[in-house]
Amino acid sequence: MLALSQIAAVTMMNLRAIPQRAGASAVIVIGMACVVGVTLSVLSLSEGFMTAIRDVVPKDAVVVMSQGARFPQARFISRDNALTIIDAPGISKTAEGKPRAYGDFYAGVPMTKRGDGFTTFVSLIGQTQAAIASNPDMKIVEGRSFQPGLHELLVGRAAQQQFVGLDVGTTIPLPQGDWSIVGTYTSINALAESALIGDAETLMSAFQRPVFATVQVRVEGAQGFDRLSAEIAANPTLTVNVRWLRDIAAEQAEQLNSLLRFVGLTLGIIMGAGAVFGALNTMYSAVSTRQREIATLRAIGFGPAPVVISVLVESLALALIGAFVGAAIAWLAFNGNVHTVGGALFELRVNRALITLGIGMATMVGFLGGLLPAVRAARAPVIDALRTR
Amino acid sequence: MSVVSLRNVVKHYTRGKERVEVLHSINLDIAPGEFLALMGPSGSGKTTLLNLIGGLDRPSAGEVTVGGERVDALSGGQLSKWRARHVGFIFQFYNLMPMLSAERNVELPLLLTPLNSAQRMSNVAAALELVGLADRAKHKPGELSGGQQQRVAIARALISDPTLLVCDEPTGDLDRETAEEIMGLLQMLNKQQGKTIIMVTHDPKAAAYASRQVHMDKGRLVEGEARTAAA
Amino acid sequence: MTKFLPLIWVGIWRKPTRTVLTALAVLAGFTLLGTLGAVDAGFRHARDRSPLDVLQVDARFGTPLPLAYLEQIAAIPGVTAMVPRAFLGGFYQQPRNPIFFVATDERFFSFRPELLVSDAQKRRLAETPNGVLVGTSHANKYGWKTGDQIPLQSPTLQKNGDKTWMLEIVGVFDTTFDPPGTARFTMMNYSYFDENRSGPRGTANGFMARISNPDDAVRISGEIDALFANSGAPTRTMSERTSTENNLQGLGNINVLINGVAAAVLFMLLFLTGNTMSQSAQERMSEFATMKAMGFEGRDITAILIGESLMQCLPAAIIGLLVGVKLVVLSPQNFPRDINPPWLAITVGVLAAVIVALVSSSLPAWRLERRPLTEALRD
Ligand SMILES: Nc1ncnc2c1ncn2[C@@H]1O[C@H](COP(=O)(O)OP(=O)(O)OP(=O)(O)O)[C@@H](O)[C@H]1O
Ligand SMILES: [Mg+2]
């Protein structure tokens, strides 16, 4: 009780003196704001990307694809195999009692970006009418859907906004002539909106690829997934993997994500080191200007603990203020901004996890920056300190 | 011909709207080779007057002439150069650079001259010899006593062979015995080297070393109090 | 000015802890700036080294391109040399050791003069059907030596259905683009790959074409694509330079990131060093006033302050820049790198350090100048 009130008294004394050392105190606040601002801004990219994947990939979506296919182009499943898979147990059914499993086609087509004129590959996905009809996430907002057998395509609104020449009514060159864009769709899945969709069979024959790329399945929960996996594993004619779509998406995102995390954390660590040195500087000067005050307290009978703690509290408080300023700047500047990576559109996110990270960094910097000065202050011989002019 | 001549010198400070006149129409002449002690109660304006003579400050009105030059008319930059050539300052608290050794402290004013390093160091050695501190050349101020520090400060004031030595309470921080030593040193400089010295002091014993005493009160030189030194 | 150096030197060591901490903070900040500069230089270099006179002919829709295209393209006026490229991807021992072989032939070397492959190595590659040349990075990582047989697990099956390709290392090489020991390029014989694969024989994933005049790149690219537009395997052609620019752009706007971070770092450092200089000048107010009384001018004092600031910032900044550049070289991430020191970044960094020093000392210098001498003397 006594110790606590001592600590409170000394700490309040310190904190009240902060305005007198505004310049030095601002070094910690501004340093920390820069560190947290930069780190969170970079990580908001990776956080946004992960959120886009985590939140919108349907929970029951499963992909069946050939084993060891690292790249979308290397995926293929023969028609026979696809039929076997579609008949397997564990797959959820439509109202009409048909299995919600559909073979699809995949290709990348080069498209020119609006603005800078650079080229990016956009996914061209072949699906069946039934697959689209049974997908509740997708909505056609302009024009109509494609007709099987005709060279017609639907375009995702995100793709339409990003790339040149994808308006409804225009045509794009694909194998075997021009294909017309007949409609625009939106999806709650921002990543799925950055694609072109056509009829699977028509595309397969145009590309002279008589096999499916994957089979897209909706399963009856985790048990359905297990039953489907077991059935497929037991069938020697199938050399395919069954995987949750969310896992695949997360894996694809991981490449970008690990780079961003590496960059963000490298920035955070190096800048954080700079901030620690700045904080040490400020706190050393703070305790040296208060040496006499501290010595007087010690002479009166205060213990070393309140002195140490009060210095630590001051440096932590300043670092935390800085972290909040930095997080606020990152949030105001970037949260909700739309960004594109490799043709996929998503919103940047400065969320609770990142703000927690910022607070963690501030705690580190404040602690490291305050500890040595605090110990020096508590250790200073009382008599010497009282003598300083 | 006087080396210092003040004509109707007025100095006032403005603090907010208030205007405080600190010096009222001062007239003073100091002859070459004179050792003048300026005395008077605290706040009477001694330091203010000394600063005007030393070219640290400019009068609000009136003329300050030193060595034939109108100091009050000099620009800031000219004033700096003028001080470097003509004035050596000695302060109550020595004002040495704590990080520099005695010889480096003494050398400081010579950095403003074209002398090379060897020339500077030989001059420094001579000046330290003169104040009796040749053996402490490498010591930092913190390692010297108050009297020794003041000697270093005197050597520093002398080093560029100024027209005028300006001392503000040079013994104010020293004990009686050390103060006497310092006063003896100043007197020696005045008598043997012919230095013109102007010194502010509260100590009548110190003032007794001077060749002339002037008293100030409330911003005026007190008439009739000027007299020739007894010593 | 050199006369002031001893003064400047003792000035910065008045409070050694403060000086060292400030220098360390500057060092940290400039390490980051060095890193950013080196990454930026790497991207620039990746772009600049991509030739303008080499066209990449790729499959527009991923369909394999028949080898017959080679002659058709070579017949276009302005095209002087051609080589096919196919890719064999897979992994060595474990999926986390991916390797990607470019299957091509001896004509390839004229397109990639940066590969430091000896004539003997080229000969051995030609003589060994399943021979491969590997960059020093892979060789060091897996301990490969010339003569080793290595299994490559690939989803591209051999015609006998086997997915393990046994390849023989016939040489290890460096490139002029990578620091020694870090070359990642790998290549194999197209003929061996094509004969043994299960996929469509006689096709390539793309071609490289050299043109006599780089100004014709766009025109000839258009002609090549027009030639095959209505075939079953349309092409997409662009110069290597354009292709690199596309790839770099796909990574997002690196420049905005680099500039933003650099600005934040400099802002932070400016504040930090500025505060150090202010404190240190404030403490010495009366010392500086004494010097002024002796005849030192305001600009002398300013010069001393700038000197102190430079002396505690500049060495730290230069060390930091060099450390930062080195960090990029050692980084586990595969950033594009420039083997040469990024002189531009270093120069800009040093300039930035000088500016930080100037700005951080100018405020205290101004304050000293403004304070009346007679008052400063009493501090
Ligand atoms: N910058 C200033 N602004 C306002 N008033 C000032 C200023 N400097 C000095 N004064 C006033 O001028 C008067 C004379 O001051 P000065 O320092 O010359 O006295 P002094 O005779 O040297 O006193 P002491 O013996 O205590 O040193 C004092 O009343 C002081 O308050
Ligand atoms: Mg006085």
Side-chain angles (χ1 to χ4, degrees), chain B residues 41-48 50-51 92 168-169 200 202, chain C residues 378:
Chain B
S42 199
S44 56
K46 304 182 296 292
T47 298
T48 306
L50 206 62
N51 288 344
Q92 177 178 358
D168 197 350
E169 305 185 38
V200 166
H202 285 285
Chain C
R378 288 189 303 201

Side-chain angles (χ1 to χ4, degrees), chain A residues 110 116 119 207 270-271 281 285, chain C residues 22 32 61 236 246 249 279:
Chain A
D116 58 20
T119 314
F207 277 79
I270 300 179
M271 283 183 82
N281 224 345
S285 87
Chain C
T22 305
L32 203 47
F61 304 116
R236 171 167 168 266
N246 262 326
Q249 192 62 29
Q279 277 184 357

